[in-house]
Amino acid sequence: MIQIVFNNAPWNKAAAFYLRTLVFVQEQGISLKSEFDELDIDSTFYLVIYHDKSPVGTIRYQQDDETTLRPDRLCVHKMMRKQGLGRRLILELEQIGKKQHCTLSRVHGEKQAIGFYQKLGYKVVSDEFIEDGIICVLLEKELK
């Protein structure tokens, strides 16, 4: 059974941090200090997908300004990839952003994920840059 939770409760935050530690720190080698930054505060909201009560995907909710959503720290458990969970996380977060009057979504996407974001309607709007030691690009999508 799939359950989607969006809040800033400590237990949901712990689930998001668990997944981020598995994917970004252990798999990709990003340092803990870089991964868990000044944006991970008590008021930060996380969208987490649970499968049979276990966290399997997460994304952090951020806004750059009043009308710009900035989804970040998207990750899916290695055993649950290629099942549409990343897509679902982005689309769910976009809906939440729209309710908060966001009209644009801006993502720092890893180079290897450009195709994923393009399938969801995002367009590359920058040259490549390095973020946390990983090649990234800025992608944007108008929210309608």
Side-chain angles (χ1 to χ4, degrees):
M1 182 173 108
I2 295 284
Q3 179 185 15
I4 299 174
V5 176
F6 178 70
N7 66 31
N8 64 344
W11 59 270
N12 198 49
K13 183 177 183 176
F17 283 17
Y18 163 76
L19 287 167
R20 287 170 52 191
T21 299
L22 284 179
V23 174
F24 296 124
V25 176
Q26 293 179 1
E27 280 184 42
Q28 295 184 352
I30 295 172
S31 73
L32 282 169
K33 190 174 182 180
S34 293
E35 177 55 30
F36 298 99
D37 59 21
E38 68 281 351
L39 299 176
D40 289 309
I41 57 177
D42 289 344
S43 61
T44 301
F45 276 62
Y46 302 86
L47 183 67
V48 181
I49 296 178
Y50 295 86
H51 179 261
D52 294 334
K53 299 183 181 180
S54 293
V56 294
T58 189
I59 191 167
R60 181 170 69 180
Y61 184 89
Q62 296 293 324
Q63 281 188 225
D64 285 343
D65 56 44
E66 289 182 11
T67 61
T68 307
L69 172 67
R70 183 144 101 74
D72 70 343
R73 301 304 203 255
L74 166 67
C75 63
V76 174
H77 193 287
K78 194 174 197 172
M79 302 303 290
M80 297 296 288
R81 293 183 190 147
K82 305 291 184 198
Q83 297 183 39
L85 295 179
R87 179 181 195 280
R88 190 162 181 188
L89 285 163
I90 288 286
L91 296 176
E92 291 277 344
L93 206 68
E94 288 176 358
Q95 291 304 313
I96 293 165
K98 287 181 195 178
K99 290 177 184 173
Q100 298 299 317
H101 310 291
C102 290
T103 57
L104 180 71
S105 181
R106 183 176 289 143
V107 176
H108 290 192
E110 295 178 13
K111 185 177 179 180
Q112 67 185 22
I114 291 172
F116 164 77
Y117 287 109
Q118 287 175 325
K119 287 178 188 172
L120 293 169
Y122 285 80
K123 293 182 170 94
V124 175
V125 296
S126 78
D127 292 330
E128 294 177 357
F129 58 92
I130 303 293
E131 186 172 80
D132 298 328
I134 296 172
I135 300 171
C136 295
V137 294
L138 180 63
L139 300 105
E140 291 183 347
K141 175 183 177 180
E142 287 188 33
L143 300 178
K144 300 174 184 177

